[in-house]
Amino acid sequence: IPALALPLTVLYGPTLSFNFSFLLSFALTGYTTYLLAYYLTHHRLSAFIAGFIFAFYPARFGYATGTFLGQLTTYFLPLYLLALFMLAQRPNWPRAIWGTLVLACLCLTWPLHVAYGVVIFTVVFMIFQISTWLRQPISRNSLKYFGLMFGLTLILIIGFYLPLYTSFQRGDNAHLSGSDTTNFAIDLTAFI
């Protein structure tokens, strides 16, 4: 979200930009979850409840008290799942491009979203999709468009992730260690 809020930061300063992005993260997370749930259920009340629950679940408030804006920016997760479902249902170029943009935004928002969101969601979705394809003839179009989406996303994000990877290889990753977190934590699960 900092890149999306850059015009606001330039015009009004980082404080207003942060506060606006912070509040907007709750609204957008609820709305994008509503869109996903409505796409899957076609029931507005159920979709609203799903959006409300995901936008205001307790872990988000834990991140909110620590002002971890990157971890609060979860509205690309439901959009990514929606893009996967829509591309699997009707594979075409516009949906593949839209999926590329959503996936790139998700990958560039917070690195943990890649590990705990993108990888897990993609593996589970692809297992489900392969089991569906085994019952039906495999559509080469689907594979082509999924390949396009993942390939274009890789091209978009490689310039951002390559410096992180080289820094990690050199051992310049002290900022990623959890020593401060576990030394000052009162939560016993922080040590896991």
Side-chain angles (χ1 to χ4, degrees), residues 101-147:
L101 294 175
V102 169
L103 182 55
C105 288
L106 176 58
C107 290
L108 294 174
T109 301
W110 190 252
L112 288 179
H113 291 332
V114 175
Y116 297 124
V118 173
V119 172
I120 292 171
F121 290 158
T122 304
V123 167
V124 170
F125 182 81
M126 286 304 173
I127 290 170
F128 171 76
Q129 202 59 32
I130 288 170
S131 70
T132 303
W133 284 337
L134 290 176
R135 287 180 270 150
Q136 302 170 358
I138 294 178
S139 168
R140 289 183 187 237
N141 277 340
S142 292
L143 293 175
K144 177 176 76 173
Y145 289 114
F146 276 111

Side-chain angles (χ1 to χ4, degrees), residues 44-75:
R44 292 193 188 281
L45 182 60
S46 299
F48 175 79
I49 292 169
F52 185 81
I53 289 171
F54 189 60
F56 298 104
Y57 70 96
R60 283 183 55 82
F61 281 106
Y63 294 131
T65 58
T67 62
F68 298 114
L69 190 57
Q71 292 173 328
L72 281 175
T73 310
T74 54
Y75 46 84

Side-chain angles (χ1 to χ4, degrees), residues 140-186:
R140 289 183 187 237
N141 277 340
S142 292
L143 293 175
K144 177 176 76 173
Y145 289 114
F146 276 111
L148 174 72
M149 182 179 83
F150 293 124
L152 287 176
T153 301
L154 184 62
I155 291 168
L156 288 175
I157 68 170
I158 195 76
F160 295 96
Y161 275 84
L162 201 53
L164 287 175
Y165 178 73
T166 56
S167 172
F168 183 75
Q169 289 298 321
R170 285 192 314 255
D172 300 336
N173 57 351
H175 61 285
L176 296 176
S177 71
S179 61
D180 290 340
T181 305
T182 55
N183 286 341
F184 299 107
I186 57 169

